């Protein structure tokens, strides 16, 4: 039973928070990675799943600001990949 709790805790160690949503000029992605993570990236995807940007993460806990000047009004996905596996995907609306 404790193993199950540890597994759940491990997943929730990896945190992704995006604001403001909807965004106009930029949005902030706040992240927190578990201690065992060796590599992590944030991907910005359009609705078709096309990768628009890939941002490597070097710190266990931090935030990055993504400018939207080259994005159209619409919905995008922010995906957190940890050691090559998608762990968390969230939607962001961009309004111009």
């Amino acid at each position: 039973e404790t193993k199950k709790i540890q597994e759940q805790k491990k997943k929730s160690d990896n945190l992704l928070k995006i604001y403001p949503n909807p965004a106009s000029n930029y949005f902030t992605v706040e992240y927190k990675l578990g201690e065992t993570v060796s590599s992590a990236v944030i991907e910005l995807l359009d609705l078709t799943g096309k990768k628009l940007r890939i941002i490597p993460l070097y710190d266990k806990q931090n935030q990055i600001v993504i400018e939207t000047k080259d994005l159209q009004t619409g919905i995008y996905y922010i995906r957190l990949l940890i050691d090559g596996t998608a762990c968390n995907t969230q939607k962001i609306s961009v309004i111009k």
Side-chain angles (χ1 to χ4, degrees):
E1 181 133 350
T2 43
K3 188 179 181 217
K4 196 175 188 181
I5 293 168
Q6 283 174 335
E7 281 176 23
Q8 286 175 340
K9 187 181 180 299
K10 205 177 213 180
K11 282 183 186 165
S12 67
D13 274 354
N14 304 313
L15 182 81
L16 193 60
K17 199 161 102 183
I18 302 165
Y19 56 89
N21 192 357
S24 52
N25 299 323
Y26 66 91
F27 57 91
T28 301
V29 179
E30 216 173 87
Y31 65 90
K32 182 176 159 236
L33 306 174
E35 287 305 308
T36 57
V37 172
S38 57
S39 75
V41 294
I42 294 270
E43 292 181 336
L44 173 64
L45 312 162
D46 66 13
L47 279 177
T48 67
K50 182 178 163 212
K51 292 176 191 173
L52 304 175
R53 290 192 209 153
I54 298 171
I55 303 149
L57 305 178
Y58 299 106
D59 301 314
K60 296 284 183 206
Q61 187 171 358
N62 212 326
Q63 59 186 36
I64 54 171
V65 174
I66 297 177
E67 289 188 17
T68 61
K69 63 176 178 262
D70 58 338
L71 300 177
Q72 303 293 318
T73 293
I75 293 172
Y76 296 87
Y77 292 105
I78 300 295
R79 185 162 65 188
L80 174 63
L81 266 75
I82 293 178
D83 300 330
T85 305
C87 292
N88 196 331
T89 304
Q90 293 191 22
K91 269 194 240 184
I92 177 91
S93 297
V94 174
I95 296 171
K96 295 293 176 122

